[in-house]
Amino acid sequence: EENLKRSALLLKKGDDSQEKYDARKADLLQTKARISMYEEQIRQLALIAPIDGTVLWRDADPGEVKEAGTPLFWIGNPKPLQLVAEIDEKDIPKIKAGQNTLITADAFPERIMTGKIKKITPKGDPVNKSYRVYVELPENIPLMIGMTVETNTIVQEKSNVLLVSSGAVTENSTVWLAINEVTHTVAKNKLVETGIKGTDHTEI
């Protein structure tokens, strides 16, 4: 730009030619075009987070070369936490928003934590035959981002019920009872009406 200004003054005085002035002007335009190209390249190389948040995990260092499509940073909000669970499609009809969920984690083996189902994805995974469920967690829960947990959702609750071992109930809904006769004890098969069925116990 300075060269072009000087050339313009010299051209007015007659000490420079029109050809030299035009050459300096063309040089300036080419330089500006190169600057614009470099600025666009810099803009394309800039990392801009798609959301506001905190860098939770960094997978790259300055100067390191990474393949396209490779995650460099994990960004999110550390609080409030939410849990993402996979539910088998055979169990999903029993699951509803608002139900309480019991949570256990290897990091806290002696502790049972609770959450509440917030929403269920309307589309399932046809390969794994599961649906994704989002669980709200209380603020004071000790879980950290990325931990794996096991969840059990409470779909029904009853109190003051008769329970037997689930293995004691046959496919025909009968149980064997020990009946005390006068002289001895006999085993009798009795038809029962079952209620809630759990892994370990069944309601009679």
Side-chain angles (χ1 to χ4, degrees), residues 14-138:
D15 294 334
D16 207 350
S17 65
Q18 183 68 41
E19 290 80 8
K20 286 184 178 180
Y21 174 80
D22 291 341
R24 289 190 177 104
K25 187 175 182 181
D27 185 46
L28 177 62
L29 292 174
Q30 287 178 358
T31 302
K32 285 185 175 181
R34 283 198 300 273
I35 290 171
S36 296
M37 180 185 70
Y38 294 141
E39 286 176 342
E40 177 61 21
Q41 288 178 355
I42 291 170
R43 189 190 67 78
Q44 290 178 3
L45 291 170
L47 294 176
I48 300 173
I51 59 169
D52 292 337
T54 302
V55 175
L56 306 172
W57 181 275
R58 188 176 82 175
D59 270 331
D61 291 311
E64 188 177 353
V65 177
K66 289 282 190 179
E67 289 184 13
T70 304
L72 303 178
F73 298 93
W74 294 86
I75 297 173
N77 295 311
K79 295 286 182 180
L81 286 176
Q82 82 171 352
L83 187 149
V84 182
E86 299 291 331
I87 307 291
D88 288 342
E89 64 179 24
K90 64 181 174 62
D91 294 325
I92 205 67
K94 306 172 191 173
I95 306 300
K96 295 176 179 60
Q99 289 175 329
N100 290 323
T101 298
L102 304 179
I103 303 159
T104 56
D106 289 341
F108 307 98
E110 303 300 322
R111 185 165 179 178
I112 297 176
M113 296 158 277
T114 58
K116 193 178 289 283
I117 290 181
K118 184 178 180 182
K119 63 178 180 178
I120 305 160
T121 53
K123 182 186 180 306
D125 183 340
V127 177
N128 295 323
K129 295 185 177 181
S130 63
Y131 282 77
R132 188 164 290 169
V133 172
Y134 295 89
V135 179
E136 284 183 323
L137 300 174

